[in-house]
Amino acid sequence: PKPNQPHNSPKEENEKEPPPRLIHILETRFMQNQPNLIQLAKARLQLFKTICLPTVVRQSAWGNFLWIIRTDPSIDESIKSEMIRILQEAGAMTKLDHEVLDENGEPQERALTYLIGSNENYVMPAHNMEGERNDSFDTRHMLEAALERPDLIFAGDAESMKVLLNEISSQRVERDVIMWTRLDADDGLTERFMEYLQRQAIRYFLPQYYDLEMLPQPAQSEIEKQQRNDADERVLENEQERRQQDTFDLEDDREGSDASGDEGILEYVPPKWTYWCNGNNIDWFVTDLIRDPEHKNGTVYPASKNNFCITPGLTLVLQGSQDPSLVPRLDHHRLASFLKTQGGSICGRNGSLSILKEDNADSDIKAEEVDDGSCFHMVKFFLFPAVRSRTPTSAGMMGVTPSKHQLAVVKYKRNKGKLIPYMWELLKNQYGVKNVDLVDTNRYFGNHLFDIAEENARGQCTLGHSCKTSSKDHLQQFIDQKMELVGGFDVIDGKIFLDS
């Protein structure tokens, strides 16, 4: 597709040079290294159709990013065909580009989504894969690798991909900004999330194109900086509460940065790269329709991580001139704790910029985050930026039932009776998730739970997937319930053995 352009031009534009672009890629993986687990694939496809897909095509920035879905090259033909059908019916494959006309003056279609047979991952290497990768976040390598095997481009226009490769192979790309966002096939994002990320990329990487007035900030002592951060965070928190109408206690972390600088006003130098991630999300759980018939559409609970990045929405932004192999590649659970202590020098940035917020500014402007001068940003613009499905399809099998903390949060006096209805409204109005689809998905899991768990046990410890003893123990409980009349199964090193 044609890469994005910033929303606004600088006051003085060099007409000889085209403006920089945002090239934004959303990467999703589906059944990689697990091509023969049909029941597990069907269940994950159900979650993709119900939760992931509608939240992506509903994005306010839809059409301004490229969606790459990766699956095993040997994926079962029926699963592949169903995935393509679902994408086509949702209108996710192409879009008319009125800026690119054919010989008859008609707008041409350009690809928005690709389904590619590949076990590679470019956004974040899986946490249990051995060895160092040199091609993470490498847009050119990703496109070249896909075009080398056109037979493995299961869906999507290869010609559009060639056009994009030609675009980023030119010297012009050095002035561009590259964005990589991760979204697993069973998770979703709130409707303005991708737009928000693109707006922040312009703010920090192309500030001359940003449409709000910004001021350089003087360097401060650590005490002064912490006092300012605390005050700004209180303003931000109060504004978010006002916008939400109802307030909820999620024990959200609101720490300042440890970054330091010299006295005086520093010239702002954009970062070479920066990470964004989410800490809060809605967890959607399947329910037992026999023991809990009142929740036919499942249940929802809030999740809040202090100093911890969840995977949906995890984003790296880097300058087009930046060598992607030099960007730190960290597991999502280590990003916040590591980068928060590094300041801005690790990503090459200098100084910070603050948005000038007038008293009569709208709520979106007032809710803009405070620049702490670091190379990492926790998204706090939305109370719940993401939704995660917590089901027995999970590779790690963590959190497939609400935790004691989640149960306590919804019962807290300020949240009781308000928080859960609020999350259901968000799923409907800001995620585009339909209740009827949740009911169908919940019923599907109820009818196929044991088969799903059995195949998930087989998929444990395959390349690129979690390998936890606790996960296998949890799956063992489901399998034993199915096979208790014949003595049950044992799960050993990811393999199932029938007791003799």
Side-chain angles (χ1 to χ4, degrees):
K2 184 177 180 180
N4 310 345
Q5 293 185 1
H7 301 303
N8 297 281
S9 298
K11 295 179 181 179
E12 295 182 2
E13 180 76 39
N14 186 344
E15 296 181 357
K16 295 182 180 180
E17 292 186 347
R21 304 161 297 183
L22 295 182
I23 302 174
H24 195 175
I25 298 169
L26 176 66
E27 185 168 271
T28 297
R29 62 177 189 164
F30 178 80
M31 297 300 294
Q32 289 182 311
N33 297 297
Q34 297 176 327
N36 301 317
L37 304 179
I38 308 303
Q39 295 302 320
L40 184 61
K42 289 181 178 179
R44 287 178 176 166
L45 198 58
Q46 189 77 23
L47 293 171
F48 174 81
K49 179 175 65 174
T50 299
I51 294 178
C52 182
L53 177 59
T55 72
V56 173
V57 298
R58 188 184 175 91
Q59 289 296 312
S60 57
W62 177 245
N64 291 329
F65 58 87
L66 182 69
W67 192 12
I68 302 291
I69 304 171
R70 300 186 180 280
T71 189
D72 194 286
S74 302
I75 191 73
D76 182 81
E77 188 66 32
S78 65
I79 299 298
K80 179 175 67 176
S81 298
E82 182 65 8
M83 170 71 88
I84 295 173
R85 185 191 67 80
I86 290 172
L87 289 168
Q88 290 175 338
E89 288 187 355
M93 296 307 303
T94 61
K95 178 182 180 180
L96 285 177
D97 190 341
H98 293 275
E99 296 182 12
V100 180
L101 306 179
D102 61 19
E103 56 186 11
N104 298 319
E106 297 295 327
Q108 291 187 328
E109 284 193 344
R110 62 181 175 91
L112 298 179
T113 302
Y114 288 88
L115 178 63
I116 297 176
S118 168
N119 286 322
E120 296 291 332
N121 289 291
Y122 288 84
V123 175
M124 292 290 289
H127 70 274
N128 62 339
M129 293 181 68
E130 298 180 358
E132 290 294 324
R133 295 172 53 92
N134 293 320
D135 52 13
S136 294
F137 317 122
D138 191 330
T139 311
R140 188 176 306 174
H141 183 279
M142 182 266 292
L143 296 173
E144 290 175 344
L147 290 170
E148 285 177 0
R149 292 292 307 273
D151 57 309
L152 295 181
I153 302 179
F154 299 143
D157 181 16
E159 291 303 316
S160 292
M161 187 177 286
K162 290 178 182 178
V163 171
L164 178 58
L165 178 59
N166 290 334
E167 288 276 359
I168 67 170
S169 297
S170 66
Q171 290 185 345
R172 179 183 175 185
V173 76
E174 294 186 358
R175 302 180 61 240
D176 296 336
V177 175
I178 313 297
M179 306 178 65
W180 289 88
T181 297
R182 174 179 174 178
L183 180 65
D184 289 345
D186 55 357
D187 299 330
L189 299 169
T190 189
E191 62 184 354
R192 294 179 60 198
F193 186 79
M194 299 290 276
E195 176 192 353
Y196 173 79
L197 287 177
Q198 292 174 5
R199 184 177 176 85
Q200 295 308 302
I202 295 171
R203 173 184 172 183
Y204 287 99
F205 286 78
L206 303 167
Q208 70 273 29
Y209 286 79
Y210 197 63
D211 57 2
L212 297 178
E213 185 174 356
M214 295 188 292
L215 302 174
Q217 294 300 298
Q220 300 165 303
S221 69
E222 289 302 310
I223 295 178
E224 291 173 331
K225 184 181 295 183
Q226 188 62 55
Q227 290 174 341
R228 178 178 177 276
N229 283 344
D230 290 344
D232 285 340
E233 291 290 4
R234 283 194 295 272
V235 172
L236 172 60
E237 186 174 18
N238 291 337
E239 180 58 30
Q240 286 178 326
E241 289 180 350
R242 187 193 69 77
R243 295 167 73 217
Q244 293 153 8
Q245 295 182 353
D246 292 319
T247 58
F248 309 109
D249 186 356
L250 303 180
E251 297 185 5
D252 192 13
D253 173 60
R254 300 191 179 276
E255 292 184 0
S257 170
D258 294 329
S260 62
D262 298 328
E263 295 297 326
I265 295 179
L266 302 177
E267 178 185 0
Y268 180 74
V269 177
K272 296 180 179 178
W273 55 265
T274 297
Y275 279 97
W276 273 264
C277 80
N278 298 319
N280 292 350
N281 68 274
I282 299 172
D283 276 348
W284 178 79
F285 298 90
V286 295
T287 55
D288 186 330
L289 295 178
I290 297 177
R291 294 184 176 87
D292 189 11
E294 294 184 3
H295 296 97
K296 295 180 180 181
N297 56 349
T299 59
V300 291
Y301 285 87
S304 179
K305 304 292 185 182
N306 296 327
N307 296 315
F308 186 96
C309 290
I310 60 174
T311 57
L314 180 61
T315 296
L316 172 75
V317 182
L318 66 161
Q319 294 181 13
S321 59
Q322 170 67 25
D323 182 351
S325 68
L326 300 180
V327 176
R329 301 188 299 278
L330 301 170
D331 294 337
H332 66 92
H333 61 275
R334 292 185 54 216
L335 270 175
S337 60
F338 175 76
L339 292 178
K340 270 190 174 183
T341 63
Q342 301 299 312
S345 60
I346 190 174
C347 63
R349 67 173 296 186
N350 188 46
S352 62
L353 292 173
S354 179
I355 296 174
L356 184 62
K357 301 178 181 180
E358 303 288 351
D359 292 338
N360 60 349
D362 63 36
S363 57
D364 278 1
I365 295 176
K366 291 182 178 179
E368 280 280 18
E369 71 171 4
V370 176
D371 180 11
D372 62 7
S374 73
C375 306
F376 167 83
H377 303 277
M378 185 72 78
V379 176
K380 296 178 180 178
F381 187 82
F382 312 96
L383 180 61
F384 293 113
V387 56
R388 296 191 302 172
S389 59
R390 317 303 287 159
T391 72
T393 62
S394 171
M397 282 298 293
M398 293 184 64
V400 295
T401 56
S403 67
K404 292 181 179 179
H405 174 71
Q406 288 178 307
L407 295 171
V409 166
V410 298
K411 294 179 180 178
Y412 183 66
K413 60 181 180 180
R414 193 167 67 170
N415 303 335
K416 191 173 183 180
K418 298 188 298 182
L419 183 52
I420 288 180
Y422 177 74
M423 289 187 290
W424 281 121
E425 283 297 313
L426 288 182
L427 286 181
K428 175 184 176 182
N429 298 325
Q430 295 187 19
Y431 287 85
V433 176
K434 297 180 180 179
N435 189 67
V436 63
D437 293 335
L438 290 173
V439 172
D440 289 343
T441 299
N442 196 44
R443 184 186 302 114
Y444 182 91
F445 273 83
N447 294 335
H448 300 88
L449 179 61
F450 300 123
D451 293 331
I452 294 168
E454 180 179 334
E455 288 203 348
N456 197 6
R458 290 196 178 106
Q460 294 290 314
C461 303
T462 55
L463 183 65
H465 293 274
S466 185
C467 187
K468 302 184 181 74
T469 300
S470 60
S471 303
K472 291 178 284 186
D473 289 345
H474 202 163
L475 288 167
Q476 175 73 56
Q477 297 174 11
F478 291 113
I479 297 167
D480 279 342
Q481 291 178 47
K482 177 184 178 183
M483 299 301 295
E484 61 183 357
L485 295 179
V486 292
F489 276 125
D490 284 329
V491 181
I492 303 174
D493 294 332
K495 299 179 181 179
I496 295 179
F497 296 88
L498 183 63
D499 288 349
S500 57

